[in-house]
Amino acid sequence: MIVLIAPEEDIPNEIDILNQLFEHGLRFYHFRKPEKNYEEHVAYLNQIDKEYHNRIVVHYHHELINEFNLKGIHFQEQKRIDYIDNPSEYFKTLNMYGKTISSSFHEPKVLKDCYFEFDYHLLSPVFSSISKEGYEGKGFDVNDINKTIVGMGGINSETIQETLQLGFKGVGVLGGVWNAENPVESFKSIKEKFYSLV
């Protein structure tokens, strides 16, 4: 699986690029915009072609899952720590039938010991980040963890093979697409490389 994370700050033509990425087979788009409020989240989603809503996972304002036909919800690390100890309470007001639940981790041991059954887990940083300066890669090896883990941090078409060898089932991309001169072409080459190896 290939997960694309939204750029934190809006970039020029972002929605146009995103619709093109969906056309080229993007299946997991993590909508992570910490500065946007609920209304701004709604406005953003309304600009995206409805047929692609079921490929979008929201990081903030999980109640959007009740308003839009989204793919699922994602827990940032702190939110997981705050809420997942009492999940039945948290999910009571959310229409989660057939939806995915994922979370971010920064230590393999914490991920391995997490009792909650997430559909998949984002673990970072595997390599030094493309989008965050000074975010050093740790080369995590997760071959011994029997969970679906997506490697993030420094992922581009050059690092995919090593990521898979380290035991990751998928790759999470941010800078490798959004910081590229041509995000659509960059996504296509990542996708081509990933599927030639799995």
Side-chain angles (χ1 to χ4, degrees):
M1 63 194 287
I2 300 170
V3 173
L4 178 65
I5 314 286
E8 283 200 14
E9 303 287 327
D10 292 353
I11 63 168
N13 307 318
E14 185 174 322
I15 300 288
D16 290 344
I17 294 167
L18 186 53
N19 279 320
Q20 286 179 59
L21 293 169
F22 285 132
E23 279 169 33
H24 286 287
L26 174 63
R27 309 220 59 91
F28 288 80
Y29 181 62
H30 276 234
F31 179 18
R32 185 188 63 148
K33 297 277 186 181
E35 303 303 319
K36 286 192 188 297
N37 63 25
Y38 183 84
E39 286 71 26
E40 289 165 328
H41 270 69
V42 168
Y44 186 98
L45 287 167
N46 279 331
Q47 292 177 74
I48 297 167
D49 198 322
K50 267 198 181 70
E51 72 172 292
Y52 300 132
H53 282 181
N54 63 359
R55 303 183 192 183
I56 299 172
V57 173
V58 283
H59 281 223
Y60 300 92
H61 307 293
H62 287 167
E63 63 275 22
L64 288 160
I65 201 103
N66 300 334
E67 306 294 318
F68 293 88
N69 179 30
L70 302 176
K71 187 175 198 74
I73 64 174
H74 183 83
F75 285 84
Q76 304 279 112
E77 192 164 42
Q78 192 55 53
K79 193 160 187 170
R80 179 185 77 248
I81 293 163
D82 293 344
Y83 292 105
I84 223 70
D85 275 345
N86 190 357
S88 57
E89 194 60 35
Y90 187 83
F91 295 119
K92 209 160 60 176
T93 59
L94 300 175
N95 179 17
M96 292 304 299
Y97 183 73
K99 307 296 183 185
T100 65
I101 305 169
S102 53
S103 187
S104 301
F105 293 81
H106 298 94
E107 290 298 333
K109 185 176 176 357
V110 176
L111 193 162
K112 190 175 186 173
D113 295 344
C114 180
Y115 71 91
F116 187 86
E117 287 288 324
F118 289 105
D119 294 292
Y120 58 98
H121 314 71
L122 302 187
L123 179 62
S124 67
V126 182
F127 306 107
S128 295
S129 175
I130 296 165
S131 59
K132 288 183 187 170
E133 225 166 280
Y135 202 44
E136 293 300 312
K138 296 188 179 166
F140 300 123
D141 187 320
V142 297
N143 280 294
D144 66 322
I145 304 176
N146 188 20
K147 293 183 177 186
T148 302
I149 308 173
V150 174
M152 284 204 57
I155 304 290
N156 56 28
S157 51
E158 308 299 303
T159 54
I160 289 174
Q161 186 161 2
E162 197 180 334
T163 310
L164 295 172
Q165 286 164 352
L166 288 166
F168 291 92
K169 301 285 195 298
V171 293
V173 194
L174 201 167
V177 166
W178 296 112
N179 292 12
E181 208 164 300
N182 186 325
V184 176
E185 287 307 314
S186 181
F187 172 75
K188 281 162 69 179
S189 77
I190 287 168
K191 186 180 163 208
E192 197 177 310
K193 182 75 183 218
F194 181 81
Y195 286 109
S196 73
L197 294 166
V198 293

